[in-house]
Amino acid sequence: MSGAGSPTLDVDGTGLEVVIVAGSWHDVITDALIAGATRTLEEAGASFSLVRVPGSFELPVVSKAALEAGADAVVALGVIIRGGTPHFEYVSAAATDGLTRVALDTGKPVGFGVLTLDDEQQGLDRAGLPGSKEDKGREAAEAAIATVRALRAVRG
């Protein structure tokens, strides 16, 4: 969780339509992730909307629908905290694999802001709150915008 080595990205979002798709669990952390993504998209000049889903498991299907409906990119935000059962592994894998598949199937970026955590404090440290060491909502939004730009450069 050092943040060392963070890239400098092209985050000019002018003319882009981005959808933030966010889970509803762990609202303090999730709301902070949304705030970081929202600030970044506003600063970048992108148009955006927010869609809330029940949890991280539902992120892929709604992200795919948003991209198929015309969004240039999605910022997927969620919080999964390890518990005492294998549920953590199943949901984490489903969200990660599903969002990867969405990006590959649609050919459009999915900024990945799904936090997989051992405890709540790790999320608070990454959520972009006052005193947080990182802002994963911002990072996911920056990655989504920069990837749109990279794809457009490659595709001409």
Side-chain angles (χ1 to χ4, degrees):
M1 190 174 63
S2 69
S6 297
T8 300
L9 301 174
D10 175 6
V11 291
D12 177 4
T14 305
L16 299 183
E17 180 61 41
V18 179
V19 177
I20 300 169
V21 181
S24 298
W25 284 79
H26 309 288
D27 60 341
V28 170
I29 299 168
T30 301
D31 290 349
L33 292 172
I34 292 167
T38 299
R39 276 191 311 274
T40 302
L41 295 170
E42 287 173 347
E43 291 166 6
S47 297
F48 64 92
S49 58
L50 170 66
V51 177
R52 297 299 294 258
V53 297
S56 293
F57 189 83
E58 293 78 22
L59 292 170
V61 69
V62 176
S63 294
K64 185 173 188 214
L67 293 169
E68 289 175 341
D72 295 301
V74 161
V75 178
L77 305 173
V79 178
I80 309 167
I81 299 178
R82 186 180 305 278
T85 69
H87 181 260
F88 172 85
E89 283 80 13
Y90 295 124
V91 174
S92 296
T96 302
D97 295 347
L99 290 168
T100 300
R101 181 175 156 200
V102 166
L104 294 172
D105 287 353
T106 63
K108 294 181 179 183
V110 176
F112 189 79
V114 180
L115 303 184
T116 54
L117 311 165
D118 288 322
D119 56 53
E120 184 178 25
Q121 186 59 53
Q122 290 178 339
L124 296 170
D125 289 342
R126 292 169 173 82
L129 293 162
S132 293
K133 298 171 185 153
E134 297 177 276
D135 186 342
K136 294 301 184 181
R138 171 176 287 283
E139 290 177 22
E142 288 175 345
I145 292 169
T147 305
V148 170
R149 297 292 175 216
L151 286 168
R152 289 183 177 177
V154 168
R155 294 174 178 154

